[in-house]
């Protein structure tokens, strides 16, 4: 595996899920694989779960993880090509990336969407430069359009907790005070479409995700109708993905907040969210604190998903 962006990069999905369960049983069984290997984790944006889970996964595999906070620990980096660098950015990614690559065996990169230039974001301009110039395998630790380690952890969590062979999984938009990227919902949709689930997406008009991620999912604009009979409810906010309103907040309708009223129409569903979560905007206290909430096991599985990905990359070195 030379890069990890999309579900197809993981290979056979059933095999990957079995490997995840194997990692959970014996997390330290592959330490020789990572011995004397280094992974550099490059963060353009803040993080809690991604930073800690990636570092823990690398240590479980015997690797040496190095963390770099761009614009905090390093020179401010220019990301666009063809610009005159007469501002506050002292170094260009074109030089920084091959230098980083010379110090490690694998690179993980976290770089959010700017939400102002859709073409720049959806071309994955920053991540593509790492792939092109580093000479190393590259893991998306959340990029402008995808968050595959999160989606893989979500799928592992669903597999562990499902009560039926083919559960109904509903991803619902929920309100938020800030404009958020589409990376998490994009990847969740992509991975659910690849899995054996009945997948439904519900959101207000104007929040239609890119068709390449929606795939064969059912899109339902009536939230309560979408939630009927759901086995898993995945709540997440995202800003408008549409060309004419890209990155904008079109609604803060609090009736979309997932609360007991919403969960009452489900099949005693499990609640999921990637965290961090705005309580009583995305989800009510009573739902996230209930015994049916999976947000903590879901977060714990971030170590597992990252470790499976890193293990596959190490096996190809």
């Amino acid at each position: 595996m030379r890069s990890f962006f999309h579900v197809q990069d993981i290979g056979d999905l059933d095999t990957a899920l079995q490997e995840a369960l194997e990692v959970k049983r014996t997390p330290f069984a592959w330490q020789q694989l990572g011995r004397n290997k280094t992974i550099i984790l490059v963060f353009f944006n803040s993080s809690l779960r991604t930073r800690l889970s990636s570092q823990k996964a690398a240590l479980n595999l015997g690797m040496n993880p190095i963390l770099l906070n761009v614009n905090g620990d390093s020179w401010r980096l220019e990301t666009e090509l063809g610009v005159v660098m007469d501002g506050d950015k002292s170094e260009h990614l074109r030089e920084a990336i091959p230098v980083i690559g010379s110090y490690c065996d694998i690179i993980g990169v976290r770089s959010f969407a700017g939400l102002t230039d859709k073409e720049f974001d959806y071309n994955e301009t920053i991540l593509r430069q790492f792939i092109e110039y580093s000479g190393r395998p590259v893991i998306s630790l959340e990029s402008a359009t995808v968050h595959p380690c999160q989606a893989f952890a979500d799928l592992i969590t669903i597999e562990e907790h499902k009560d039926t062979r083919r559960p109904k999984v509903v991803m619902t938009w929920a309100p938020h005070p800030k404009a958020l990227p589409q990376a998490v919902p994009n990847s969740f949709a992509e991975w659910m479409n690849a899995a054996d689930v009945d997948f439904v997406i519900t959101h207000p008009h104007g929040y239609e995700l890119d068709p390449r991620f929606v795939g064969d999912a059912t899109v339902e604009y009536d939230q309560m109708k979408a939630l009927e009979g759901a086995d898993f409810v995945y709540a997440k906010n995202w800003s408008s993905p549409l060309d004419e309103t890209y990155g904008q907040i079109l609604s803060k309708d609090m009736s979309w907040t997932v609360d007991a009223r919403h969960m009452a129409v489900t099949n005693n569903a499990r609640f999921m969210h990637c965290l961090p979560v705005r309580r009583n905007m995305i989800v009510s206290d009573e739902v996230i604190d209930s015994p049916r909430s999976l947000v903590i096991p879901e977060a714990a599985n971030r170590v597992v998903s990252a470790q499976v990905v890193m293990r596959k990359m190490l096996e190809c070195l």
Side-chain angles (χ1 to χ4, degrees):
M1 185 194 304
R2 291 298 300 176
S3 63
F4 182 63
F5 275 51
H6 300 290
V7 65
Q8 60 266 27
D9 296 330
I10 202 72
D12 180 75
L13 197 53
D14 289 336
T15 300
L17 287 168
Q18 290 305 310
E19 291 175 349
L21 297 177
E22 192 177 9
V23 162
K24 291 196 79 164
R25 287 192 298 269
T26 55
F28 307 112
W30 298 274
Q31 289 197 332
Q32 282 298 113
L33 199 59
R35 186 180 180 187
N36 297 328
K37 297 290 193 300
T38 298
I39 183 169
I40 294 183
L41 305 170
V42 182
F43 287 85
F44 287 82
N45 302 98
S46 57
S47 171
L48 190 154
R49 278 148 296 277
T50 299
R51 181 185 301 269
L52 297 179
S53 63
S54 300
Q55 192 171 7
K56 173 62 174 170
L59 290 168
N60 286 354
L61 288 165
M63 282 196 286
N64 304 307
I66 299 174
L67 275 67
L68 175 65
N69 298 306
V70 174
N71 302 330
D73 298 336
S74 69
W75 300 109
R76 290 184 60 80
L77 296 178
E78 179 58 64
T79 59
E80 297 191 53
L81 294 170
V83 299
V84 176
M85 291 177 57
D86 59 354
D88 64 344
K89 296 178 180 177
S90 304
E91 187 165 7
H92 200 286
L93 277 183
R94 184 64 183 85
E95 289 76 56
I97 291 171
V99 169
I100 292 169
S102 72
Y103 298 153
C104 66
D105 302 280
I106 299 172
I107 301 175
V109 184
R110 183 177 181 89
S111 178
F112 292 171
L115 296 179
T116 56
D117 184 339
K118 184 174 181 179
E119 183 179 5
F120 182 89
D121 288 345
Y122 272 69
N123 283 338
E124 291 289 7
T125 306
I126 293 175
L127 265 290
R128 295 295 172 191
Q129 290 184 70
F130 273 89
I131 290 174
E132 183 176 357
Y133 302 135
S134 71
R136 298 290 184 245
V138 176
I139 303 171
S140 170
L141 300 177
E142 186 171 359
S143 61
T145 65
V146 292
H147 196 351
C149 288
Q150 178 65 56
F152 187 17
D154 295 335
L155 180 56
I156 294 167
T157 307
I158 289 171
E159 284 294 307
E160 288 181 313
H161 292 89
K162 68 182 184 181
D163 296 318
T164 59
R165 188 189 66 80
R166 192 169 190 270
K168 180 178 180 180
V169 179
V170 179
M171 179 172 71
T172 177
W173 179 93
H176 196 282
K178 295 174 61 179
L180 298 184
Q182 301 96 42
V184 169
N186 282 346
S187 276
F188 187 77
E190 183 181 61
W191 285 69
M192 290 304 107
N193 277 312
D196 189 15
V197 301
D198 176 13
F199 182 49
V200 179
I201 304 172
T202 183
H203 54 71
H205 289 279
Y207 285 95
E208 290 80 6
L209 296 169
D210 190 304
R212 81 183 91 165
F213 298 110
V214 174
D216 296 327
T218 299
V219 177
E220 173 56 64
Y221 294 96
D222 184 328
Q223 186 191 30
M224 296 301 286
K225 182 178 178 182
L227 291 171
E228 290 177 0
D231 298 295
F232 294 89
V233 174
Y234 195 100
K236 185 69 181 78
N237 174 267
W238 62 91
S239 59
S240 174
L242 304 183
D243 291 344
E244 60 273 17
T245 54
Y246 179 66
Q248 295 181 23
I249 297 174
L250 305 181
S251 173
K252 290 184 181 178
D253 185 352
M254 295 292 287
S255 71
W256 283 76
T257 299
V258 178
D259 58 18
R261 177 177 65 92
H262 294 84
M263 298 300 284
V265 302
T266 70
N267 183 29
N268 194 24
R270 298 280 196 166
F271 175 80
M272 300 179 69
H273 188 277
C274 60
L275 301 182
V277 66
R278 300 277 183 139
R279 283 172 173 253
N280 302 308
M281 284 207 74
I282 297 289
V283 58
S284 68
D285 288 336
E286 61 188 336
V287 171
I288 196 170
D289 291 333
S290 79
R292 303 298 289 175
S293 174
L294 292 176
V295 296
I296 303 305
E298 186 181 357
N301 277 333
R302 289 293 308 278
V303 176
V304 180
S305 64
Q307 190 167 334
V308 171
V309 171
M310 292 177 191
R311 172 185 162 186
K312 286 179 174 292
M313 286 189 168
L314 287 169
E315 289 171 342
C316 294
L317 292 179

